[in-house]
Amino acid sequence: MPEQLQRIQQHFIDSADLKYQAAQALSRPIAAAVQAILACVTSGGKVLACGNGASAAEAQQFAAFCVAGFERERPELAAVALTCDSTLLTAAASGNAAAQQFARQVRALGQAGDVLLVLSVTGNDANLLTAAEAAQERGMGVLLLTGCSGGRLAAMLRETDVLINVPHDRAARVREVHALVLHCLCDGVDTQLLGEQETLP
């Protein structure tokens, strides 16, 4: 039992250490991402979000925060998680078609001035690479949340895109920081739209 308690506590310590280390390195790209989202939604655009596995859930949560609100009431912001339509996703569940499952939605829904938010721990997912390519072809901005080295996704970004790269190789730690980054994005957009909140609950 003491060993188990120690292991649990170490998870908290490691997570806190990484967030502390990442705070300074990631604050500028997070601020740039806030501005990109703000410019998009205030000009009538929308955010499309995608990821695989646990990152898909984070993409859905971010879209929900945009539409339903984060910590306070505000007008709805246009956002769609590309991970929600099981019929569409499973229609392209094998072979080369699977790599196009998000790209097809980007080409169908995305317009110049929209933003694609991509979440990937490794940055090497084939279906996310094609989605980012489709977004760039559409004249959309790409916001990439990744970890490790950033992978092939980081390598394909343009100067106008934003890379938020968590400096860690362990998937659990990277996703923990991704969750915090998404909260920072939502709070940043709300603050720009509504002003500072006197007290956070």
Side-chain angles (χ1 to χ4, degrees):
M1 188 67 172
E3 289 182 4
Q4 185 181 18
L5 294 178
Q6 185 177 8
R7 185 175 181 85
I8 290 168
Q9 292 168 10
Q10 193 62 48
H11 278 295
F12 279 85
I13 293 167
D14 292 346
S15 183
D17 284 348
L18 176 59
K19 288 170 183 171
Y20 183 80
Q21 293 167 18
Q24 187 170 359
L26 299 186
S27 58
R28 285 187 183 278
I30 291 171
V34 167
Q35 294 307 311
I37 294 169
L38 194 66
C40 168
V41 297
T42 57
S43 62
K46 59 189 169 297
V47 179
L48 305 180
C50 59
N52 293 318
S55 295
E58 290 183 316
Q60 291 172 214
Q61 185 180 54
F62 177 78
F65 283 150
C66 288
V67 175
F70 180 51
E71 290 187 321
R72 44 185 168 159
E73 291 293 325
R74 59 148 165 74
E76 296 81 3
L77 305 178
V80 178
L82 304 181
T83 56
C84 294
D85 191 332
S86 60
T87 304
L88 181 58
L89 294 177
T90 56
S94 62
N96 292 333
Q100 293 293 324
Q101 59 189 183
F102 295 137
R104 285 175 171 165
Q105 295 182 73
V106 170
R107 289 191 290 268
L109 302 173
Q111 301 291 336
D114 289 347
V115 166
L116 178 68
L117 173 67
V118 181
L119 296 103
S120 173
V121 172
T122 66
N124 292 317
D125 310 71
N127 58 347
L128 301 180
L129 284 158
T130 56
E133 289 170 357
Q136 291 176 341
E137 291 166 5
R138 283 283 190 200
M140 298 169 58
V142 177
L143 309 180
L144 172 61
L145 274 67
T146 189
C148 306
S149 66
R152 290 184 290 163
L153 274 164
M156 68 176 289
L157 296 184
R158 307 158 299 185
E159 287 187 9
T160 52
D161 298 324
V162 179
L163 172 63
I164 302 173
N165 184 31
V166 179
H168 207 280
D169 294 329
R170 185 169 179 177
R173 296 288 89 87
V174 172
R175 290 192 186 104
E176 288 162 3
V177 178
H178 281 183
L180 179 57
V181 169
L182 295 179
H183 290 170
C184 290
L185 294 178
C186 294
D187 177 72
V189 169
D190 282 3
T191 299
Q192 292 291 315
L193 290 175
L194 305 173
E196 293 283 349
Q197 194 171 12
E198 289 186 8
T199 57
L200 289 175

